[in-house]
Amino acid sequence: MMLEEKELLKNILARVPFIEFLDIKFDIVDRELFATMPFKPMLIGNDFIRALHGGAIGSFLESVAIIELTWHLNFEVAKSETSFQIDFPKTIDFTIDYISPGKATDSFAKARINRSGKRYASVSVEAWQGDRDPPFAQAIGHFLVSS
Amino acid sequence: MNLVKENKKKEIIKFFNDLPFNKMMGISLVSMGEGLAEMTVDYNLDLIGDKKTMVIHGGVVTTLLDAACGAAVMSAGVPKVPTATIDLRIDYLRSAKPEKQIRAKAECFRITESVAFVRATAHDGNDVVPVASACGAFTSPI
């Protein structure tokens, strides 16, 4: 099962060039998905205080929420031969709470599926730097699982 | 024409267009009015969210809307300090069409000494239905 989960994650990520572009990495720890966005100068959005761009934080949170949901929704197709058989959810809305400025250091994130029904799903995601608590940004998104 | 305001405007446009993350994403600030800003992002294969549909990632639209809202806030008065996003909500009204440039228009419709309130839409052509709409609160730069 573990191998299939890893394979599924690899196949999902192969579909999303933007995640590679931002250099977001995913790890499976105890069957849970953790994400890392290593710091790079290009992620800066405020040169004066060396803070991460709001869009970089938002993109990170949104990517992590989508990957978590896609990963959970597609366990059954984990054995599929091509990544194109994987179904991606569609984002309905996404609300970002910028708790405090993102520092010029690595960021981590974990998503939680609040509910995944027949048509709709609700996903929360938290991002932190250093200690997990308190997070520096969090978001909640709703997704269309099947139309 | 207020010279201080004009110089400040040029300074702000340069500030946004020089930001590393905006440059990397291909985002540019194309126009700015009083409390208004327009920004574009060019279609680029690196920004794709799903190779099957070739549609741009939602995060790119979020970045564009966040940046446009920030620019609208900075143009809503004579800013003394930079602004930061407090919160931002994006509604994804439909998928963006592959290969199209996306243009965001943002409006800061209320600014106080503490908070700026903003709304924005993103279009990928002449379609009446925007790709996305956003509303948010920012820290006040005035």
Side-chain angles (χ1 to χ4, degrees), chain B residues 74-126:
Chain B
M74 291 300 277
S75 72
V78 180
K80 294 190 205 84
V81 290
T83 182
T85 320
I86 298 171
D87 95 310
L88 189 71
R89 174 192 163 110
I90 316 282
D91 287 311
Y92 293 94
L93 307 178
R94 62 173 174 85
S95 298
K97 296 182 190 93
E99 300 191 20
K100 293 269 191 180
Q101 184 193 60
I102 302 176
R103 178 178 289 255
K105 288 182 188 182
E107 178 199 5
C108 175
F109 58 94
R110 165 80 174 148
I111 188 162
T112 71
E113 281 178 12
S114 328
V115 190
F117 298 90
V118 203
R119 55 186 163 227
T121 50
H123 285 267
D124 62 355
N126 298 322

Side-chain angles (χ1 to χ4, degrees), chain A residues 14-18 21-22 41-45 48 53-56 59 62-63 84 91-96 98, chain B residues 15 19-22 24 46-52 57-60 62-63 66 85-92:
Chain A
R15 280 266 291 274
V16 195
F18 186 59
F21 183 64
L22 291 181
M42 71 179 191
L43 298 176
I44 291 290
F48 301 111
H53 194 291
S59 296
E62 206 166 322
S63 299
F84 285 96
T91 315
I92 299 167
D93 60 55
F94 203 72
T95 307
I96 307 154
Y98 293 92
Chain B
F15 170 83
L19 280 182
F21 196 65
N22 287 349
M24 181 188 95
D46 286 333
L47 307 182
I48 285 170
D50 183 358
K51 274 187 184 169
K52 193 175 174 179
H57 195 279
V60 178
T62 299
T63 302
D66 179 60
T85 320
I86 298 171
D87 95 310
L88 189 71
R89 174 192 163 110
I90 316 282
D91 287 311
Y92 293 94

Side-chain angles (χ1 to χ4, degrees), chain A:
Chain A
M1 187 63 191
M2 196 58 203
L3 204 72
E4 281 168 19
E5 282 175 359
K6 269 189 187 164
E7 196 63 24
L8 173 63
L9 179 62
K10 211 179 93 190
N11 283 339
I12 292 169
L13 295 175
R15 280 266 291 274
V16 195
F18 186 59
I19 285 178
E20 195 185 328
F21 183 64
L22 291 181
D23 197 26
I24 298 171
K25 316 240 191 272
F26 287 87
D27 291 300
I28 304 170
V29 183
D30 293 335
R31 303 197 66 191
E32 295 219 56
L33 216 46
F34 287 86
T36 308
M37 183 169 69
F39 174 72
K40 285 189 172 58
M42 71 179 191
L43 298 176
I44 291 290
N46 185 328
D47 268 331
F48 301 111
I49 60 166
R50 299 267 299 156
L52 296 184
H53 194 291
I57 298 165
S59 296
F60 181 43
L61 293 167
E62 206 166 322
S63 299
V64 174
I66 293 173
I67 297 303
E68 174 84 35
L69 188 57
T70 310
W71 192 57
H72 273 267
L73 291 172
N74 289 276
F75 279 147
E76 291 76 31
V77 292
K79 287 177 188 160
S80 63
E81 297 103 54
T82 78
S83 67
F84 285 96
Q85 282 165 288
I86 296 165
D87 284 321
F88 270 55
K90 270 188 173 175
T91 315
I92 299 167
D93 60 55
F94 203 72
T95 307
I96 307 154
D97 175 12
Y98 293 92
I99 300 167
S100 57
K103 297 184 205 102
T105 179
D106 296 353
S107 304
F108 307 93
K110 170 97 191 81
R112 190 184 67 234
I113 298 171
N114 303 314
R115 179 172 187 258
S116 182
K118 270 188 194 148
R119 293 184 73 188
Y120 310 106
S122 163
V123 183
S124 299
V125 50
E126 278 186 354
W128 66 92
Q129 296 177 322
D131 287 336
R132 187 167 172 180
D133 196 48
F136 74 99
Q138 60 185 356
I140 185 155
H142 297 94
F143 298 85
L144 195 58
V145 172
S146 75
S147 42

